[in-house]
Amino acid sequence: MSEKKEYKYYAFISYSRKNSPAANYLQKKLERSKIPSAKVDESLLPQDGKHIKPVFLDKRDLEVSEKDFSENIKQSIRESRYLLVLCSVESAQSQWVNREISYFIETHGNSLDAVIPIILSGSPGSGDEQECLPEVLRREEIKRRNLPCMIPEKGETEEQGWENGLIQAMSYMLRVNRESIKATIDAERIRMLRNYLKLL
């Protein structure tokens, strides 16, 4: 990803409609969370240099046009730097999600480097009813990765689990360690809280 290429979208989210709440969370948080810009290679910086945006989410970003739905989706995939795949039992069974992944790979040099599976539920590589990887991603090079995971660990809330997955995905896209990203998000959260308190 060192080659500088202009993309309309920093990322495209592929997901099953049954996982819409998580997709909406991911899109909103990616676009609103500040990034440690000084630690990010210039070739990987988003357009505004401060947030990972724009992120394509079909319900929000599809334009009304004479093109059919699939053509709009294909164009948006071609114009996206990364593909974020929300992996769940539902998305593993979705032909549409599988088609989006296949088309992204085909239009991005037949490489999986810019495909980021994010585990939302289920078990990657299990090969049973709990399999969460769409068929096209059931490859050893994917299974060997330390995949971002939104499943809360024991004692964590769902919100904490989702934020952990968010940070891991940001770390992969920006090639910055997770601690730096979490510190930036926490600092921004504190700053916003202080500003809010000043208004009281």
Side-chain angles (χ1 to χ4, degrees), residues 3-111:
E3 183 179 330
K4 184 68 172 178
K5 179 178 177 180
E6 296 298 326
Y7 291 94
K8 181 176 180 179
Y9 301 104
Y10 199 81
F12 178 108
I13 301 176
S14 182
Y15 66 103
S16 163
R17 291 298 171 273
K18 294 180 180 178
N19 303 141
S20 291
N24 290 330
Y25 167 89
L26 197 61
Q27 183 271 329
K28 182 172 76 172
K29 288 293 185 178
L30 283 170
E31 291 199 339
R32 294 182 182 178
S33 298
K34 288 197 72 173
I35 64 173
S37 303
K39 297 184 178 182
V40 180
D41 186 276
E42 185 179 347
S43 66
L44 295 175
L45 278 174
Q47 292 177 17
D48 77 346
K50 298 178 181 178
H51 307 87
I52 293 181
K53 65 179 185 181
V55 173
F56 183 91
L57 189 64
D58 57 4
K59 286 185 179 179
R60 187 197 68 168
D61 293 312
L62 269 182
E63 297 178 1
V64 176
S65 74
E66 294 179 359
K67 296 180 181 179
D68 65 26
F69 183 73
S70 61
E71 281 306 311
N72 273 310
I73 287 291
K74 285 181 178 179
Q75 180 176 343
S76 300
I77 288 173
R78 291 193 300 270
E79 295 175 339
S80 298
R81 177 189 284 265
Y82 287 105
L83 180 71
L84 304 180
V85 184
L86 276 180
C87 297
S88 66
V89 173
E90 295 81 13
S91 63
Q93 299 169 357
S94 169
Q95 293 183 2
W96 191 258
V97 169
N98 208 62
R99 286 171 61 190
E100 289 176 344
I101 300 167
S102 296
Y103 189 71
F104 183 91
I105 294 171
E106 177 188 330
T107 57
H108 289 70
N110 291 312
S111 171

